[in-house]
Amino acid sequence: MNEKHHSHDLPFWRKYIFSLDHKVIGIQYGVTGLLFLFFGFCLMMLMRWQLAYPGQPLPLLGNLFSERMMVGGIMLPEFYNQLGAMHGTIMVFLGVVPLAVGGFGNYLVPLQIGAPDMAFPKLNMMSYWVYFLGGVTMIASFFLPEGAAQSGWTSYPPLANIATSGQTVWLVGMVLLITSSLLGSINFIVTIVQLRADGLSFFRLPFFVWAQFVTSFLLLLAFPPLEAAGVLQLMDRLAGTSFFMPSGLVVAGNPLVVSGGGNPLLWQHLFWFLAHPEVYVLILPAMGIVAEIFATNTRKPIYGYKSMVCSVIFLGFMSFIVWAHHMFLTGMSAKMSAFFQITTMIISIPSVIVLTALALSLWGGSIRFNTPMLFAVAFLPMFGIGGLTGLPLGLAASDIHLHDTYYVIGHFHYVVAPGTIFALFAGVYHWYPKVTGRKMSEVLGKIHFFLSIVLINGIFMPMFILGLAGVSRRLYDQMQYAHAQPTQPLNVFISICAWLLGLAQIPFVINFFGSLIWGKKVERNPWQATTLEWAAPSPPPHGNFDTVPQVYRGPYEYSVPGLKHDFWPQNMAQEN
């Protein structure tokens, strides 16, 4: 009680800015992640103008940019490369991961395990502010004399080693972001292991908590190699070392004076050793969100809960031994490529198990098609398309043709954009009442959903055609290439869909902020759900629960025969 009383006496900056409360930190992560997603989306919309109408002045906004970005409103190739590199970096490292793990994970994991807070509140606060500093550092690089990083979101040397100063700032930002993720992942693991409520055994955990648990191990084990690689590349750029710089390089007709002896492929190994587990860092929290929403809105238990848990554990393990399927064209031996082809095919199995279990959970359910359920159901086919289209990229023979084409862009974005981001939208609509005590508008939510699902497919489905036609993903002006010219109308169509998708987010923004004022007030459990977070008041106070919860059963006891109600909360000893 003293602690609870003390929290109300804290000054504003301690309570809402440098807060130790996991819920405030979760909201900070969530709102900051959404803002970075919006900024990254804006960069993409600028790129789409150049791709649709190459060499034509940007209307309305062209005069706002400096001459190092645009001349007469016409985008320069260097600025286009900056947009491409920063779009990928911002969407993955500053947007989706912080929102999925930092936002949803921070807010919900302690609530779902019956804990009063995270295990290390100060470490939690530090992880957010290091992330924020890393994000601001990256964004600030646009204001450097030579602009931001322009060597792609993968920062491949030797190009990245001789690039402009924006690349140095990019590396500093990445080191900060990785440090933030390491601090957060340690906190999640200790919290889930040590702070579970009485009676909450591991196989009584909600699937969302399992997804965050495995994700934390991926972050903890996969990020250090990239942090080390980032420091080594900084040394190459600033201290004259040659970890990734081979001998005999010629730049602009002049031999490059470096000690040499380094290996550019070493960077690729270190980068993809992180970046393939990173794909599952993006997707696992999304699967967890979808599972919670499915159980709540089908009014029945998740099908195959234990098989889903075992699948995500196996998926986490396998994600560390498939990284070189991104490197089939680097000259690896036939034996090595065969190994990575086999592991890539194997890793698709646990994903299929999870998707199948979620699909079977719909069978026989009394489904409530509210806004979170619409986004969650849409996740299944969207992620399914992303997974199926990835199989040809996991086979060396077909990857020779498809590598670095728009096919790869289409595949990856189906996993992350209509896949993960749809799941994140579903989570926002589902847990908004818990965070604010109010519901979002169903009408605006459904407008947002139907516009988004049509337009997002209009963006990414044509990219498979572009990729099969052999159009490279990195072309500034594809009209300069004879094989790409016939597909240019598709680029125009994609760009129009992208701009309309931006407009389609206006109902969400209005709904998100407007519902704080006019949203319908709710009780603590408006969805009649069973997991522990709904046992806390809405919004939860400091310390989360009125009384320390006791857990009596698994997380998804819906439609139990013989009970008066169709849900039986985990913390309720007997039905009232």
Side-chain angles (χ1 to χ4, degrees):
M1 287 298 294
N2 289 337
E3 183 185 359
K4 187 173 180 180
H5 177 73
H6 176 66
S7 71
H8 291 287
D9 296 336
L10 292 173
F12 177 86
W13 65 274
R14 280 290 310 278
K15 195 173 179 182
Y16 296 109
I17 300 174
F18 296 106
S19 176
L20 301 182
D21 189 336
H22 74 97
K23 298 181 294 297
V24 176
I25 295 169
I27 293 169
Q28 289 175 325
Y29 261 116
V31 172
T32 309
L34 285 170
L35 290 173
F36 278 130
L37 278 177
F38 174 73
F39 183 72
F41 187 79
C42 290
L43 299 185
M44 180 274 292
M45 290 197 286
L46 286 173
M47 293 171 68
R48 289 309 321 173
W49 175 264
Q50 168 60 27
L51 290 167
Y53 308 108
Q56 295 187 30
L58 182 71
L60 303 176
L61 302 174
N63 294 327
L64 298 178
F65 294 89
S66 68
E67 289 192 358
R68 63 179 173 77
M69 299 176 178
M70 296 188 185
V71 175
I74 299 172
M75 190 179 297
L76 296 175
E78 294 81 4
F79 184 52
Y80 177 83
N81 284 341
Q82 292 173 35
L83 294 176
M86 296 304 289
H87 165 74
T89 304
I90 289 167
M91 297 303 260
V92 173
F93 295 108
L94 296 178
V96 177
V97 173
L99 181 56
V101 180
F104 283 101
N106 253 311
Y107 198 97
L108 293 170
V109 165
L111 285 166
Q112 288 201 330
I113 66 173
D117 207 318
M118 296 288 275
F120 307 116
K122 290 182 179 178
L123 205 66
N124 206 17
M125 177 190 72
M126 186 176 173
S127 74
Y128 170 74
W129 284 105
V130 172
Y131 152 69
F132 183 80
L133 182 61
V136 170
T137 300
M138 286 217 175
I139 301 298
S141 66
F142 276 106
F143 300 99
L144 293 172
E146 296 171 307
Q150 48 185 289
S151 302
W153 78 284
T154 54
S155 189
Y156 278 3
L159 179 65
N161 279 24
I162 60 174
T164 58
S165 55
Q167 203 68 36
T168 302
V169 177
W170 184 93
L171 289 163
V172 171
M174 281 301 298
V175 169
L176 290 169
L177 295 173
I178 293 167
T179 302
S180 165
S181 292
L182 292 176
L183 296 175
S185 60
I186 292 167
N187 213 350
F188 275 106
I189 291 167
V190 175
T191 300
I192 293 168
V193 171
Q194 296 287 355
L195 298 187
R196 286 169 289 126
D198 286 345
L200 189 59
S201 62
F202 273 100
F203 278 104
R204 286 181 174 178
L205 288 174
F207 184 68
F208 176 80
V209 177
W210 270 110
Q212 293 284 348
F213 192 48
V214 175
T215 299
S216 298
F217 275 104
L218 297 185
L219 290 171
L220 186 64
L221 298 173
F223 259 131
L226 184 61
E227 184 153 30
V231 172
L232 295 182
Q233 195 175 111
L234 273 172
M235 295 284 284
D236 277 8
R237 289 183 56 84
L238 302 176
T241 59
S242 291
F243 292 106
F244 308 119
M245 294 292 279
S247 305
L249 285 176
V250 176
V251 179
N254 299 311
L256 194 66
V257 182
V258 291
S259 55
N263 189 346
L265 290 185
L266 173 60
W267 169 270
Q268 290 196 35
H269 281 290
L270 292 170
F271 180 87
W272 288 115
F273 188 77
L274 153 84
H276 199 84
E278 179 77 4
V279 173
Y280 297 102
V281 169
L282 301 171
I283 204 66
L284 285 176
M287 289 176 171
I289 291 168
V290 170
E292 301 300 309
I293 293 170
F294 269 35
T296 305
N297 289 301
T298 58
R299 314 310 291 166
K300 62 193 286 284
I302 289 291
Y303 182 90
Y305 165 81
K306 286 189 177 180
S307 65
M308 289 175 66
V309 169
C310 294
S311 293
V312 297
I313 294 171
F314 179 65
L315 189 148
F317 169 75
M318 287 297 296
S319 71
F320 287 100
I321 50 175
V322 297
W323 79 89
H325 67 209
H326 296 271
M327 301 171 60
F328 285 142
L329 271 67
T330 59
M332 70 172 69
S333 71
K335 287 182 180 178
M336 287 304 296
S337 68
F339 171 80
F340 284 107
Q341 288 175 85
I342 292 166
T343 56
T344 301
M345 295 302 112
I346 291 172
I347 203 173
S348 65
I349 296 171
S351 298
V352 170
I353 292 172
V354 173
L355 276 191
T356 304
L358 290 172
L360 288 171
S361 297
L362 298 172
W363 183 263
S366 180
I367 302 174
R368 304 188 298 202
F369 282 110
N370 49 34
T371 304
M373 189 62 175
L374 290 172
F375 274 105
V377 170
F379 167 86
L380 295 184
M382 298 297 98
F383 178 68
I385 293 171
L388 285 171
T389 54
L391 296 179
L393 299 173
L395 298 170
S398 47
D399 188 55
I400 290 170
H401 177 68
L402 297 172
H403 186 80
D404 245 5
T405 68
Y406 270 96
Y407 185 96
V408 180
I409 299 284
H411 150 68
F412 178 71
H413 282 78
Y414 259 103
V415 173
V416 177
T420 297
I421 293 178
F422 268 27
L424 296 178
F425 276 135
V428 170
Y429 283 103
H430 182 68
W431 280 294
Y432 190 90
K434 177 52 56 182
V435 178
T436 66
R438 296 176 182 268
K439 266 190 177 179
M440 295 176 77
S441 163
E442 281 291 311
V443 174
L444 286 173
K446 286 175 179 173
I447 292 170
H448 175 219
F449 169 74
F450 286 111
L451 289 175
S452 294
I453 194 165
V454 171
L455 293 168
I456 210 160
N457 280 285
I459 295 171
F460 298 117
M461 190 61 75
M463 289 187 180
F464 295 127
I465 302 171
L466 287 169
L468 290 167
V471 181
S472 171
R473 64 191 285 191
R474 304 190 193 278
L475 297 183
Y476 163 75
D477 178 4
Q478 75 172 47
M479 292 301 288
Q480 296 178 12
Y481 299 84
H483 73 284
Q485 290 173 6
T487 63
Q488 181 61 15
L490 285 176
N491 251 331
V492 177
F493 177 76
I494 291 169
S495 293
I496 292 170
C497 288
W499 300 323
L500 290 175
L501 181 66
L503 295 176
Q505 305 315 300
I506 293 173
F508 172 74
V509 175
I510 294 171
N511 203 355
F512 186 84
F513 291 105
S515 294
L516 292 170
I517 302 166
W518 66 65
K520 179 184 175 184
K521 289 187 177 181
V522 297
E523 302 296 328
R524 65 175 64 197
N525 191 2
W527 305 117
Q528 296 183 315
T530 57
T531 44
L532 282 182
E533 78 269 28
W534 301 104
S538 299
H542 187 78
N544 294 340
F545 296 95
D546 302 326
T547 57
V548 178
Q550 170 83 25
V551 174
Y552 298 96
R553 63 193 57 81
Y556 306 120
E557 294 294 327
Y558 291 98
S559 303
V560 177
L563 293 187
K564 183 171 61 174
H565 301 290
D566 69 347
F567 69 109
W568 199 3
Q570 283 186 287
N571 63 313
M572 192 180 292
Q574 296 178 345
E575 193 191 23
N576 292 335

